Amino acid sequence: MSQKVYQGPGQALSKLLYDGMTIMAGGFGLCGIPENLIAALKESNVKNLTVISNNCGVDDFGLGLLLQSRQIKKMISSYVGENKAFERQFLNNELELEFNPQGTLAERCRAGGAGIPAFFTKTGVGTLISEGKEVREFDGEKHILETALTADLAIIKAWKGDKDGNLVYRKTARNFNPIMAMAGKVTVAEVEHLVDVGDLDPDNIHTPGVFVQRVIQGEKFERRIERVTTNE
Amino acid sequence: MSQKVYQGPGQALSKLLYDGMTIMAGGFGLCGIPENLIAALKESNVKNLTVISNNCGVDDFGLGLLLQSRQIKKMISSYVGENKAFERQFLNNELELEFNPQGTLAERCRAGGAGIPAFFTKTGVGTLISEGKEVREFDGEKHILETALTADLAIIKAWKGDKDGNLVYRKTARNFNPIMAMAGKVTVAEVEHLVDVGDLDPDNIHTPGVFVQRVIQGEKFERRIERVTTNE
Amino acid sequence: MAWSREDMCRRAAMELQNGYYVNLGIGMPTLVANYVPKGISVILQSENGMLGMGPFPSPNEVDPDLINAGKQTISELPESVYFDSAMSFAMIRGNHMDLSILGALQVAENGDLANWMIPGKMVKGMGGAMDLVAGAKKVIVLMDHNAKDGSSKLVKSCSLPLTGAGVVDLIITDLGVFSCKSGNMYLEECAEGVSISEIKVRTEANFIY
Amino acid sequence: MAWSREDMCRRAAMELQNGYYVNLGIGMPTLVANYVPKGISVILQSENGMLGMGPFPSPNEVDPDLINAGKQTISELPESVYFDSAMSFAMIRGNHMDLSILGALQVAENGDLANWMIPGKMVKGMGGAMDLVAGAKKVIVLMDHNAKDGSSKLVKSCSLPLTGAGVVDLIITDLGVFSCKSGNMYLEECAEGVSISEIKVRTEANFIY
């Protein structure tokens, strides 16, 4: 096999970054985000990014770091409520924002990865989301046409990964990671445990390696929790 | 939980069958087919079926049994080359046939299960498959509009299943089973091993139970092989 | 004497049926899980990728890889299943969820729902709400009958941007239970000690009773 | 002195690059797996739901749950991965497969491919062929130069129903190697001992050389 394993996030992103590019970032809130690769993006100082991610981190962690450093030009998200820098930049017109219903966002990514350029959905019919979109009835119900999303680069976090790029996620840290892995022209994954080919159960690989071009063992994982909530 | 476990394939299909209905059947060739449920369909003598399945079994096994008994009015498949009864009935105009490219068939089922009524694909552009279908360019490339498939009943074979209807498949016996499970208005699964809720790994369930209404432990599994091919 | 929040949750929980797959929105709807009637068992979905969502964990069981759609830590149950976001919304959009219970800013007579955006204020996003109301078999709104300024949240026509058009089936407020059918709103039931005339006074929407 | 089937497979295998994800069609294309050059490692996909397809098993390792797209029993490798049909064709349609090698009845000058149907004969179906030729990054046809009746399989325009329009990149026959670019066919290489004039005589299609 060609070598997919890279040493550290900086090397894993080398020669992939350019100003104005589109990047998908997996994760839901702070759960399952590619924290090492986000840190490397910040370090690279690549600018004018369009970032496709369900959320935009918090002020001092996750994608919020790239807001602080003003590397993001536009976000495509379903919910961005947890971030003051976001609000400030958006209200100052320093940041573009495209809201997608969460399921539409997920399906657009999956479609981009699966070679489906557009699909109809009933989500958003009769709302602001349908403005400017084709509306068509199927079985007497209105649906709107949504287009696929792809990205120049997808950054992904998995629990385990092997040297062929096969990935396994843990619990709800799976979320957008597998579908964004499919939709990246280049997909780079950081994993908590890099294992040998053959160590993962072939019946239970969530992202087949064909979708992953580069993989790194993450250096450290803070795995910060946004809202610790307990029964006490 | 409401009771999803039924005793035997006859009981599992009770009150679900009617002449003229549409049935999806999982499997690829004879691999991963719901053989117990097919036998029960034959026994029920339900007629004029539209059957959506990648293939149509062989003369004396799998869906071929329903051809012999002339219960099938129409097949929607990608390949039906292994079946003499099929050829005879088709050439005598006793059987309708709609060919779908295999990937289009898979995506139509998945779309039906996912609430996507139609999608564009480049598969089949410029071929007989595109006749009568809307053609539209995306990114300078032509695509055709394909519609979703659903079924009044989906019959599925899994390796393991629990009492909530969560299913796990084994090796290439997975194939169309998970997506047809999603697309059935009612989905009935036969499993080799019926286990308790909690026995399956929650990170590695291929079909979440929300898609499955009834489940049975199959009585016996012949698991016939269509083309035994060895290195000798 | 209107219903308390607890009364409202208890009333909403009466809509649950055994074996239902249910998505509970952030806020009061989440609390409905605490009032599931005896003998009824439901499976809770969390749209970030889980069926069989368990309660909040004990402090030593908190797991950063296990959160709900409100980003709170939760726990696993024997029946839990994890999946990705596309699969999660295939369930939702594909009409496989029996029930979605969520909050609202406004509900109109015709079942229109507004709950994601107030123009002029910072917009946080719709999250999964638009998909849930478009896809679930039944949509129940659980909300206060009147806003803090006293205005009716049951309106003739939504002034706020919609989350979904004609999507609401049932509304449970502190004053009673309303249904939306074929473009009309019906008063189904008054809260204990609440009269129809009081409801009329405090409601902008026309309703049939 | 044209190429033997073995020569043809060996020549096709020279198109493989290290790390390629490859789908091999039924028949001669399947045999290409036996000629992968030294130092090159590829991962074979089987469209019924497998990456990392292994060779035919020994008789005591035959597993009814483990077949290829031709319904033959196969074996597992350390790098094997299983998935469902929608995921399999997401890979194929989504342009993630580096190479598809398949047989043909006819290839036209403009890259049109016909390999699934002869009108008037029983039609078995296209299986995954239409998806593969539409979606793979590179499509190579491996076939005899002439049909059994001597007619050229490289044609000006396909008379048989198409599998894909303008989809073929390279054709390897017993007489040589041809490419299709921007609507034209090019002779890239003659088989050992085969002259351009012989190829011309045995070819209906116009080709540039």
Side-chain angles (χ1 to χ4, degrees):
Chain A
M1 275 300 292
S2 65
Q3 187 54 266
K4 291 188 179 180
V5 178
Y6 284 68
Q7 300 306 318
Q11 198 196 90
L13 296 179
S14 70
K15 301 192 178 163
L16 298 179
L17 305 181
Y18 53 92
D19 291 351
M21 72 188 297
T22 297
I23 299 180
M24 282 184 185
F28 184 97
L30 300 181
C31 180
I33 61 171
E35 44 181 286
N36 290 283
L37 290 164
I38 290 171
L41 278 181
K42 177 167 171 131
E43 197 137 309
S44 78
N45 206 25
V46 60
K47 286 194 183 62
N48 285 319
L49 299 176
T50 295
V51 176
I52 303 168
S53 185
N54 190 57
N55 316 92
C56 198
V58 294
D59 280 327
D60 62 342
F61 196 61
L63 291 173
L65 296 173
L66 303 184
L67 281 176
Q68 281 194 336
S69 52
R70 299 182 177 259
Q71 290 172 262
I72 301 178
K73 184 185 67 176
K74 179 179 178 180
M75 286 295 305
I76 300 178
S77 301
S78 88
Y79 193 84
V80 294
E82 326 296 358
N83 199 306
K84 292 203 182 74
F86 194 102
E87 183 164 354
R88 200 167 49 240
Q89 289 179 35
F90 178 71
L91 295 176
N92 290 342
N93 291 317
E94 294 166 353
L95 185 64
E96 292 170 60
L97 174 59
E98 177 187 319
F99 275 129
N100 280 199
Q102 196 176 136
T104 296
L105 182 64
E107 192 66 11
R108 294 181 74 191
C109 295
R110 193 257 173 203
I116 302 296
F119 59 89
F120 285 95
T121 173
K122 60 184 166 185
T123 299
V125 168
T127 75
L128 290 177
I129 291 303
S130 69
E131 280 182 11
K133 289 176 186 155
E134 178 181 338
V135 178
R136 195 183 294 198
E137 282 196 13
F138 294 91
D139 268 336
E141 243 191 310
K142 284 183 184 166
H143 293 75
I144 56 178
L145 185 66
E146 295 278 2
T147 54
L149 287 170
T150 57
D152 301 310
L153 170 68
I155 54 174
I156 297 303
K157 153 79 196 301
W159 181 43
K160 292 183 179 178
D162 72 18
K163 292 167 184 175
D164 279 355
N166 296 303
L167 304 178
V168 170
Y169 308 92
R170 186 171 172 274
K171 302 188 189 281
T172 59
R174 192 180 320 185
N175 55 64
F176 281 83
N177 282 297
I179 47 181
M180 289 184 169
M182 294 168 71
K185 283 169 205 157
V186 179
T187 293
V188 181
E190 61 179 67
V191 302
E192 290 185 51
H193 305 283
L194 184 64
V195 302
D196 284 327
V197 171
D199 283 359
L200 301 175
D201 177 358
D203 274 321
N204 293 315
I205 286 166
H206 303 137
T207 294
V210 66
F211 297 116
V212 178
Q213 282 69 48
R214 300 182 181 191
V215 59
I216 55 162
Q217 162 92 54
E219 284 158 12
K220 64 178 184 64
F221 288 93
E222 185 177 335
R223 303 206 305 159
R224 198 191 290 188
I225 299 176
E226 204 161 334
R227 293 193 183 150
V228 177
T229 313
T230 69
N231 57 8
E232 285 187 2
Chain B
M1 274 299 292
S2 64
Q3 186 54 264
K4 292 188 180 182
V5 177
Y6 284 69
Q7 300 305 317
Q11 197 195 89
L13 295 179
S14 70
K15 301 192 177 161
L16 298 180
L17 304 181
Y18 52 92
D19 291 351
M21 71 188 299
T22 297
I23 299 180
M24 281 184 186
F28 184 98
L30 301 181
C31 180
I33 61 172
E35 45 179 287
N36 290 284
L37 291 163
I38 290 170
L41 279 181
K42 179 169 169 127
E43 198 136 309
S44 78
N45 207 25
V46 61
K47 284 194 185 60
N48 286 318
L49 300 175
T50 295
V51 176
I52 303 168
S53 184
N54 190 57
N55 315 93
C56 197
V58 294
D59 280 327
D60 62 342
F61 197 61
L63 292 172
L65 295 173
L66 304 183
L67 281 176
Q68 281 194 336
S69 52
R70 300 183 174 259
Q71 291 172 260
I72 300 179
K73 183 186 68 178
K74 178 179 179 179
M75 285 295 305
I76 300 178
S77 302
S78 88
Y79 193 85
V80 295
E82 326 295 358
N83 200 306
K84 290 203 183 76
F86 193 103
E87 184 164 353
R88 201 167 49 240
Q89 290 180 34
F90 179 70
L91 295 176
N92 289 341
N93 291 317
E94 294 166 354
L95 185 63
E96 293 170 59
L97 173 59
E98 176 187 318
F99 275 130
N100 281 199
Q102 195 176 135
T104 296
L105 182 64
E107 191 67 12
R108 292 182 74 192
C109 295
R110 193 257 172 202
I116 302 295
F119 59 88
F120 284 95
T121 173
K122 61 185 166 184
T123 298
V125 168
T127 75
L128 290 176
I129 292 304
S130 68
E131 280 182 11
K133 289 176 185 156
E134 177 180 340
V135 178
R136 194 182 295 198
E137 283 197 11
F138 294 91
D139 268 335
E141 244 191 311
K142 284 181 182 165
H143 293 75
I144 57 179
L145 185 67
E146 295 278 3
T147 54
L149 287 171
T150 56
D152 301 311
L153 169 67
I155 54 174
I156 297 304
K157 152 79 195 305
W159 182 42
K160 293 183 179 176
D162 71 19
K163 292 167 184 176
D164 279 355
N166 296 302
L167 304 179
V168 170
Y169 309 92
R170 185 172 172 274
K171 302 188 190 281
T172 58
R174 192 179 321 184
N175 55 65
F176 280 83
N177 283 297
I179 48 180
M180 289 183 169
M182 295 168 71
K185 282 169 205 158
V186 179
T187 293
V188 181
E190 62 178 68
V191 303
E192 290 186 50
H193 305 283
L194 184 64
V195 302
D196 283 327
V197 170
D199 283 358
L200 300 175
D201 177 359
D203 275 321
N204 293 314
I205 286 166
H206 303 136
T207 294
V210 66
F211 297 115
V212 178
Q213 283 69 49
R214 300 182 181 191
V215 59
I216 56 162
Q217 162 93 52
E219 282 156 14
K220 67 177 182 62
F221 288 93
E222 186 178 332
R223 304 206 305 161
R224 197 190 292 188
I225 299 177
E226 204 160 335
R227 292 191 183 152
V228 177
T229 312
T230 70
N231 57 10
E232 286 188 359
Chain C
M1 267 303 296
W3 276 333
S4 66
R5 289 170 72 84
E6 188 180 323
D7 294 333
M8 290 165 68
C9 291
R10 209 181 293 279
R11 179 62 189 80
M14 285 172 57
E15 300 294 321
L16 301 174
Q17 293 185 24
N18 200 34
Y20 260 22
Y21 289 88
V22 181
N23 185 293
L24 301 176
I26 294 170
M28 205 179 349
T30 301
L31 304 177
V32 174
N34 302 329
Y35 301 95
V36 179
K38 240 187 166 174
I40 298 281
S41 159
V42 298
I43 290 193
L44 300 180
Q45 201 243 23
S46 191
E47 66 263 33
N48 54 319
M50 186 179 192
L51 275 176
M53 183 170 57
F56 298 130
S58 60
N60 63 343
E61 286 171 337
V62 164
D63 183 337
D65 289 341
L66 185 43
I67 65 169
N68 65 16
K71 285 138 197 161
Q72 298 170 305
T73 44
I74 50 171
S75 62
E76 191 172 282
L77 299 172
E79 64 263 38
S80 295
V81 187
Y82 304 103
F83 35 82
D84 68 40
S85 300
M87 175 60 105
S88 183
F89 285 92
M91 279 174 207
I92 291 169
R93 195 192 309 103
N95 219 220
H96 304 280
M97 299 299 303
D98 296 295
L99 180 60
S100 168
I101 305 182
L102 65 182
L105 297 166
Q106 295 180 325
V107 181
E109 290 167 23
N110 64 356
D112 285 359
L113 168 69
N115 78 349
W116 77 284
M117 164 175 195
I118 301 176
K121 284 206 185 178
M122 176 57 197
V123 181
K124 295 185 169 190
M126 72 290 284
M130 284 191 181
D131 308 281
L132 280 160
V133 300
K137 288 178 193 165
K138 185 169 185 177
V139 173
I140 297 180
V141 166
L142 187 60
M143 66 175 189
D144 292 330
H145 198 90
N146 299 91
K148 279 176 192 154
D149 67 359
S151 64
S152 172
K153 295 173 75 170
L154 294 177
V155 294
K156 289 190 166 57
S157 168
C158 290
S159 57
L160 297 172
L162 297 189
T163 308
V167 293
V168 175
D169 296 298
L170 203 72
I171 307 129
I172 297 169
T173 77
D174 44 319
L175 299 191
V177 180
F178 303 79
S179 66
C180 295
K181 289 173 214 156
S182 332
N184 292 311
M185 189 176 281
Y186 296 81
L187 173 62
E188 298 284 345
E189 157 184 351
C190 301
E192 281 80 21
V194 174
S195 66
I196 294 184
S197 55
E198 179 182 351
I199 295 178
K200 277 190 177 171
V201 169
R202 290 176 55 185
T203 306
E204 177 197 316
N206 293 309
F207 57 86
I208 299 162
Y209 57 94
Chain D
M1 268 307 294
W3 276 333
S4 67
R5 289 171 71 86
E6 187 181 324
D7 294 332
M8 290 165 67
C9 291
R10 209 181 294 280
R11 178 61 189 79
M14 284 172 56
E15 299 295 321
L16 301 174
Q17 293 185 23
N18 199 34
Y20 260 23
Y21 290 88
V22 181
N23 185 293
L24 300 176
I26 294 170
M28 205 180 347
T30 301
L31 304 177
V32 174
N34 302 328
Y35 301 95
V36 179
K38 242 189 164 171
I40 297 281
S41 159
V42 299
I43 290 192
L44 300 180
Q45 202 243 23
S46 190
E47 66 264 32
N48 54 317
M50 185 179 193
L51 276 176
M53 183 170 59
F56 298 129
S58 60
N60 62 343
E61 287 171 336
V62 164
D63 183 338
D65 288 341
L66 184 44
I67 65 169
N68 65 17
K71 286 138 194 159
Q72 299 169 304
T73 45
I74 50 170
S75 63
E76 190 171 284
L77 298 172
E79 63 263 38
S80 295
V81 187
Y82 304 102
F83 35 83
D84 68 40
S85 299
M87 175 61 104
S88 183
F89 284 91
M91 279 174 207
I92 289 169
R93 195 191 309 102
N95 220 221
H96 303 281
M97 298 299 302
D98 296 296
L99 179 59
S100 168
I101 305 183
L102 66 180
L105 297 165
Q106 295 179 325
V107 181
E109 290 167 24
N110 64 356
D112 285 0
L113 169 69
N115 78 349
W116 77 284
M117 166 175 194
I118 302 176
K121 284 206 184 176
M122 175 58 197
V123 181
K124 295 184 169 189
M126 72 290 284
M130 284 192 181
D131 308 281
L132 280 160
V133 300
K137 288 178 192 164
K138 187 169 185 177
V139 174
I140 297 180
V141 166
L142 186 60
M143 66 174 188
D144 292 330
H145 199 90
N146 299 91
K148 279 176 190 155
D149 66 0
S151 64
S152 172
K153 296 173 74 172
L154 294 176
V155 294
K156 289 190 167 56
S157 169
C158 291
S159 57
L160 297 172
L162 297 189
T163 308
V167 293
V168 175
D169 296 297
L170 202 72
I171 307 130
I172 297 169
T173 77
D174 44 320
L175 298 190
V177 180
F178 302 79
S179 65
C180 296
K181 287 173 216 155
S182 331
N184 293 312
M185 189 177 280
Y186 296 80
L187 173 62
E188 299 283 346
E189 169 182 340
C190 299
E192 282 79 20
V194 174
S195 66
I196 294 183
S197 55
E198 179 182 351
I199 295 179
K200 275 190 178 171
V201 169
R202 292 176 55 184
T203 306
E204 178 196 316
N206 293 309
F207 56 85
I208 298 163
Y209 56 96

